[in-house]
Amino acid sequence: MNTRSCDTDVLVVGAGPAGVAAAVMAASLNLRTMVIEAGPVGGKLHRIGALENVPGSWSTGPQLAEALASDLDRLEKAGRCTVVQGLAAKVGGHDHRAELTLADGRVLTSKLIVVATGVSDLVPPDATWITATAELSAPPLWRAAPQDLTARTYVLGADRPLGTWLRSHPNVRTTLHVLCPPSDAYKATEIEADGRVRLVPISHAAITKPTYGGGWTIEVEEHDGTKTIYAATSVLNNLGNKPAAVTGLVSGDDGYCPPDRQHRRIRIAGDLRSARYQRIATAHGSGAEAVLAYYYDISLSGGGGIR
Ligand SMILES: Cc1cc2nc3c(=O)[nH]c(=O)nc-3n(C[C@H](O)[C@H](O)[C@H](O)COP(=O)(O)OP(=O)(O)OC[C@H]3O[C@@H](n4cnc5c(N)ncnc54)[C@H](O)[C@@H]3O)c2cc1C
């Protein structure tokens, strides 16, 4: 297949901050651009109640998500980008094209695919330091309203949304009991000075339902082997995330997809690149760079633009 007969020039998978930046950059280079998104435009931005590290005076994630959706809308109306709702299942790179297969069986071809699918939530069965009964319900901390909390609300893990939640609710006085395994210790430094957090350093937690009464029993084992039993009225999930890679990408041992190990027609942007640098500003930068790097690779090799 000649690249001229591809469905589009650039296919972007995922419309979070990385995917939208890639699409905006591609359209600005006059490349035919198509975005495939399974949910709402903005990705994880919809979960961020308070923002302070993104240039542009955005104070919440949903505000920025709305602006990104307007950007794509503007490009669509100008005929420079198409947004397709769909779940990407598989990507493949070939000499003259890249190919994307959607979960519903549709196949799309392009000259370049930028994969920016981010990360998905870890759940208790994914965490080796937790043993829990299958009936455990642990809704995400990021979604918890202050009125959902009690003096005996326990949080599983000290991942970064904890800091965001505390900043989003500066007037909440309830103490959050946070079970913190060694792997999360470095993340906890961001919030350990906040008096509303009680960090419980642990090596293992067993969560069961008591025979009588509501709530949960949490048997915690500390690093020195000491065991303590807590009664919790509710348990919230703040375990962090795992890469949302699609089939066909090259992954490292940790499941992330290093950009420099992919086929030359497939580029990775945003959180999916690595457990490091998971921030909005770096997602934007990496999305734009993924497209621009490919564009210049091709033009500098004599192609006079993407081909
Ligand atoms: C609670 C919380 C608070 C945070 N607070 C901050 C903060 O204050 N400051 C900061 O800089 N960062 C913060 N972050 C991190 C920030 O949100 C991410 O770094 C950023 O959103 C990553 O952008 P992304 O485009 O790589 O991925 P995402 O935002 O995750 O977007 C990925 C998109 O891909 C879509 N997708 C996934 N799989 C598929 C598929 N197979 N097919 C089609 N579409 C798919 C998803 O629906 C999603 O829209 C926070 C994250 C969370 C969860």
Side-chain angles (χ1 to χ4, degrees):
M1 181 195 273
N2 189 300
T3 50
R4 286 178 208 284
S5 57
C6 287
D7 295 318
T8 190
D9 292 332
V10 179
L11 262 174
V12 178
V13 187
V20 175
V24 170
M25 179 57 75
S28 79
L29 296 167
N30 287 324
L31 302 170
R32 292 176 302 153
T33 305
M34 191 183 285
V35 178
I36 311 295
E37 169 55 57
V41 171
K44 297 286 185 306
L45 297 178
H46 293 280
R47 302 184 178 190
I48 306 176
L51 258 190
E52 56 183 26
N53 63 348
V54 181
S57 308
W58 305 103
S59 52
T60 71
Q63 265 179 10
L64 177 53
E66 199 180 315
L68 298 188
S70 305
D71 284 339
L72 289 188
D73 202 37
R74 176 176 48 79
L75 291 174
E76 263 201 299
K77 285 189 175 126
R80 301 171 70 191
C81 174
T82 311
V83 181
V84 175
Q85 279 288 307
L87 182 69
K90 185 176 159 192
V91 292
H94 305 274
D95 280 352
H96 299 294
R97 71 186 192 289
E99 218 170 78
L100 171 72
T101 308
L102 298 178
D104 62 10
R106 277 178 291 170
V107 177
L108 297 165
T109 56
S110 63
K111 299 170 186 174
L112 171 69
I113 297 180
V114 177
V115 185
T117 47
V119 292
S120 58
D121 296 333
L122 286 169
V123 291
D126 295 321
T128 51
W129 57 273
I130 296 174
T131 313
T133 51
E135 63 189 327
L136 172 68
S137 139
L141 167 70
W142 66 266
R143 201 187 292 226
Q147 61 270 22
D148 298 337
L149 306 184
T150 72
R152 284 191 290 138
T153 293
Y154 279 72
V155 178
L156 302 178
D159 198 41
R160 295 207 175 83
L162 180 56
T164 306
W165 194 92
L166 291 164
R167 282 195 297 281
S168 313
H169 302 288
N171 301 320
V172 168
R173 290 286 142 243
T174 315
T175 300
L176 286 174
H177 306 276
V178 178
L179 303 186
C180 182
S183 54
D184 280 5
Y186 77 101
K187 299 174 190 165
T189 51
E190 201 182 297
I191 44 82
E192 65 193 359
D194 193 310
R196 297 170 295 163
V197 173
R198 173 178 157 251
L199 281 174
V200 186
I202 67 163
S203 57
H204 189 263
I207 308 173
T208 50
K209 193 128 191 114
T211 316
Y212 301 105
W216 302 94
T217 296
I218 306 180
E219 183 175 315
V220 157
E221 186 173 330
E222 293 175 35
H223 305 319
D224 62 2
T226 311
K227 289 190 175 166
T228 312
I229 295 179
Y230 299 103
T233 46
S234 59
V235 178
L236 298 174
N237 180 356
N238 187 42
L239 290 171
N241 49 54
K242 56 188 172 189
V246 294
T247 304
L249 296 176
V250 180
S251 307
D253 291 342
D254 58 2
Y256 283 93
C257 302
D260 58 353
R261 290 181 53 198
Q262 311 302 322
H263 188 278
R264 70 187 183 93
R265 292 191 182 276
I266 297 178
R267 307 276 160 139
I268 308 292
D271 283 7
L272 183 63
R273 291 169 300 157
S274 116
R276 294 181 177 192
Y277 319 127
Q278 295 194 346
R279 295 290 187 279
I280 296 158
T282 58
H284 277 325
S286 66
E289 198 170 308
V291 173
L292 205 51
Y294 185 78
Y295 185 78
Y296 282 127
D297 276 358
I298 299 299
S299 51
L300 292 178
S301 67
I306 207 162
R307 49 174 198 167

